């Protein structure tokens, strides 16, 4: 804060203002006192999203970078309220992307069918974990967002890690995985 700022307290909320803004606030308070309209009105702030909604929103934004034609997944790894890494699903660096070629060899194959030999994509969870050090992931939360192509439109799904990603997440030290529905239990399977 510079020398030309001042702090004012309104019903338990502290607000820093410049001296010019402070004079405006003092004028308003003086007028309220003159009219007998005390205490000062409560200042309303827009509601803030929960931390889970906030980080899932970031995972959704990350998913927009996906190069996959079938699924758009985004992942955010958070530890101590700090974003450690992000990742989205797509082909390895330097290779042709499905969104550029217009071809998806798994377009009509069920999710988690077990055979990934025809898909060259690296999953969002894998990309995020590759970008982070294990020491930073210990005890972290992974937020996972996903959309899948249905009838020509991408629709939000309850994103869940595949069996390989689940094993990698367990080994990474990440303690919780969350999607739009809540916590995902990785101990099954």
């Amino acid at each position: 804060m510079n020398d030309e700022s001042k702090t004012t307290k309104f019903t338990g909320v502290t607000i820093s203002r410049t001296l010019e803004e402070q004079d405006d606030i003092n004028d308003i308070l003086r007028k309220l006192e003159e009219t007998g309209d005390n205490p000062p009105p409560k200042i309303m702030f827009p509601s803030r999203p929960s931390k889970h909604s906030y980080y899932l929103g970031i995972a959704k934004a990350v998913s927009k970078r996906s190069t996959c034609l079938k699924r758009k997944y985004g992942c955010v790894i958070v530890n101590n309220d700090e974003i450690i890494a992000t990742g989205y699903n797509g082909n390895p660096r330097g290779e042709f992307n499905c969104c550029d070629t217009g071809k998806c060899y798994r377009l009509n194959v069920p999710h988690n069918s077990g055979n990934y030999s025809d898909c060259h994509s690296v999953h969002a969870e894998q990309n995020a974990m590759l970008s982070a050090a294990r020491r930073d992931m210990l005890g972290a939360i992974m937020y996972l967002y996903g959309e899948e192509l249905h009838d020509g439109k991408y629709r939000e799904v309850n994103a869940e890690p595949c069996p390989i990603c689940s094993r990698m997440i367990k080994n990474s030290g990440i303690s919780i995985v969350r999607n739009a529905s809540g916590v995902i239990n990785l101990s099954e399977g």
Side-chain angles (χ1 to χ4, degrees), residues 4-102:
E4 294 189 9
S5 63
K6 200 173 188 181
T7 302
T8 303
K9 204 160 182 109
F10 285 102
T11 60
V13 177
T14 303
I15 301 173
S16 295
R17 301 282 184 205
T18 64
L19 289 175
E20 184 178 299
E21 292 170 324
Q22 183 63 41
D23 290 341
D24 292 341
I25 292 170
N26 287 336
D27 287 342
I28 292 169
L29 291 173
R30 221 176 349 272
K31 288 176 185 172
L32 287 172
E33 285 177 17
E34 288 171 5
T35 61
D37 194 8
N38 278 331
K42 189 174 186 177
I43 296 176
M44 301 302 291
F45 294 98
S47 64
R48 295 173 56 192
S50 69
K51 287 183 181 182
H52 298 306
S53 295
Y54 171 71
Y55 291 123
L56 277 172
I58 294 171
K60 181 178 182 177
V62 171
S63 76
K64 303 304 180 194
R65 290 282 305 152
S66 171
T67 64
C68 179
L69 296 174
K70 184 175 182 176
R71 288 187 185 84
K72 297 193 174 297
Y73 271 42
C75 177
V76 176
I77 300 173
V78 178
N79 202 348
N80 294 320
D81 229 4
E82 183 178 332
I83 295 174
I84 303 302
T86 64
Y88 54 86
N89 58 319
N91 284 2
R93 287 182 176 98
E95 293 188 12
F96 289 106
N97 295 311
C98 298
C99 64
D100 297 330
T101 64

Side-chain angles (χ1 to χ4, degrees), residues 123-188:
H123 293 186
E125 307 93 294
Q126 294 168 343
N127 274 323
M129 288 184 286
L130 284 168
S131 296
R134 186 171 190 276
R135 70 179 171 275
D136 294 332
M137 292 188 284
L138 294 173
I141 301 174
M142 177 181 278
Y143 291 89
L144 193 56
Y145 175 85
E147 295 177 355
E148 292 187 14
L149 188 63
H150 291 286
D151 300 324
K153 292 183 181 179
Y154 289 99
R155 298 170 200 256
E156 184 176 333
V157 295
N158 282 326
E160 293 190 7
C162 74
I164 294 169
C165 286
S166 292
R167 291 192 295 266
M168 290 177 69
I169 292 166
K170 289 176 187 177
N171 264 7
S172 73
I174 292 170
S175 60
I176 298 171
V177 179
R178 294 187 69 102
N179 65 12
S181 294
V183 175
I184 300 170
N185 184 358
L186 296 181
S187 62
E188 299 170 359

Side-chain angles (χ1 to χ4, degrees), residues 99-118:
C99 64
D100 297 330
T101 64
K103 294 179 186 172
C104 176
Y105 298 106
R106 290 187 56 86
L107 197 56
N108 297 314
V109 178
H111 186 59
N112 290 338
S113 63
N115 182 2
Y116 290 95
S117 62
D118 51 358

